[in-house]
Amino acid sequence: MLDALFTVEKDCPICEKKIKVTRVRSRLDMIKQDTDFCCQYKNVNPYYYAVWFCPHCSYAAQDTYFDEIVPAAAERIQKFFSERNVSIDLSGTRTREQAVVSYQLAILCAELAASPASRLAGLHLRLGWLYREAGQEEEERVILAKAAEYYEKTLAQESMPVGPMSELTITYLAAELLRRAGANEKALLYLSKVVSSPQAREEKRIADLARDVWQDMRAAAKAKIPAKQQG
């Protein structure tokens, strides 16, 4: 596991102090991928280290946009934590519990920064995956429902694509998270949008995933039994 991790030095964009962050080497052996794109790997879980944290000012954000903070948002975050005594060590090898804390802090910072819905959706999604890994089903359901809500806002408010995700992918993901959260009727509405979209031909993998989930849900509904959890 240690061979998969390495440390780099960064400047915190909030307090400008030097920090050390743990990164994961890109070559990991994937075991499987769930229907909401959660990947399981051998030896190390890269989601544990996707959030970078500054121990000096308590700023936390996903690595891909850690440096993307405007002055007004930085001021709000700095003021919030300056009024609280936060003493947390998230350096080095993280436990699952430390990873959960890192996402909770990143969500708080993203809310203080008024970040786009897509960023908040992604943070909630990955936090939900950590709860899944721990077998905390109720916590997972609540967080995935929140992720689905933010993906719905993403579809309504943001220009497409969002990073590597197309509108069709986000629509499918919102549907799958709603299904996992127990909102089956709403999930079916989003799945029908995916399978009937003209873009379905160009994004066959997403369309096929949507059809598989849709068919499983409809079959389960006819049999009057809960739809099975996939993956």
Side-chain angles (χ1 to χ4, degrees), residues 163-200:
M165 293 201 298
S166 67
E167 182 175 358
L168 199 72
T169 300
I170 295 173
T171 304
Y172 163 74
L173 190 51
E176 174 59 0
L177 297 180
L178 286 165
R179 180 188 74 84
R180 286 177 177 267
N184 287 358
E185 289 187 13
K186 200 171 185 181
L188 284 169
L189 288 175
Y190 277 103
L191 288 170
S192 67
K193 289 182 179 181
V194 175
V195 299
S196 63
S197 170
Q199 299 301 116

Side-chain angles (χ1 to χ4, degrees), residues 6-225:
F6 65 101
T7 302
V8 297
E9 195 172 72
K10 292 282 298 180
D11 291 321
C12 174
I14 302 286
C15 67
E16 300 182 346
K17 293 182 179 179
K18 297 286 184 182
I19 64 172
K20 290 184 178 180
V21 298
T22 302
R23 305 195 66 176
V24 181
R25 300 190 190 281
S26 57
R27 292 187 179 182
L28 294 176
D29 294 325
M30 187 174 72
I31 300 170
K32 59 175 288 192
Q33 186 180 61
D34 295 344
T35 49
D36 61 355
F37 307 137
C38 175
C39 296
Q40 297 180 30
Y41 298 91
K42 290 182 181 179
N43 303 323
V44 63
N45 187 339
Y47 304 129
Y48 283 22
Y49 305 97
V51 169
W52 291 351
F53 172 73
C54 174
H56 307 293
C57 68
S58 301
Y59 171 59
Q62 193 168 321
D63 52 4
T64 50
Y65 51 81
F66 185 79
D67 294 320
E68 296 178 20
I69 188 82
V70 298
E75 185 177 340
R76 285 195 299 272
I77 292 169
Q78 197 164 35
K79 183 177 186 299
F80 179 88
F81 285 109
S82 68
E83 297 170 352
R84 291 159 177 82
N85 183 20
V86 179
S87 180
I88 301 172
D89 181 11
L90 299 177
S91 61
T93 303
R94 287 179 182 171
T95 63
R96 184 190 300 115
E97 290 73 21
Q98 288 175 315
V100 167
V101 170
S102 76
Y103 279 94
Q104 292 170 337
L105 285 168
I107 288 169
L108 175 58
C109 288
E111 291 171 342
L112 289 169
S115 296
S118 56
R119 289 189 182 180
L120 281 157
L123 289 168
H124 281 85
L125 177 60
R126 286 162 181 78
L127 178 55
W129 293 345
L130 296 186
Y131 287 135
R132 181 181 307 165
E133 183 185 57
Q136 296 175 262
E137 295 181 1
E138 181 59 20
E139 289 84 353
E140 178 192 349
R141 185 192 66 77
V142 171
I143 290 297
L144 293 188
K146 195 69 177 176
E149 179 184 327
Y150 278 117
Y151 277 124
E152 289 183 277
K153 290 181 180 179
T154 299
L155 290 167
Q157 300 171 358
E158 298 183 37
S159 300
M160 300 294 151
V162 176
M165 293 201 298
S166 67
E167 182 175 358
L168 199 72
T169 300
I170 295 173
T171 304
Y172 163 74
L173 190 51
E176 174 59 0
L177 297 180
L178 286 165
R179 180 188 74 84
R180 286 177 177 267
N184 287 358
E185 289 187 13
K186 200 171 185 181
L188 284 169
L189 288 175
Y190 277 103
L191 288 170
S192 67
K193 289 182 179 181
V194 175
V195 299
S196 63
S197 170
Q199 299 301 116
R201 291 184 179 181
E202 298 177 16
E203 299 183 54
K204 189 175 184 301
R205 175 175 175 264
I206 298 300
D208 287 346
L209 281 170
R211 290 189 187 96
D212 289 344
V213 173
W214 190 20
Q215 289 171 3
D216 182 66
M217 291 179 68
R218 290 178 69 85
K222 286 181 181 179
K224 296 183 179 180
I225 59 174

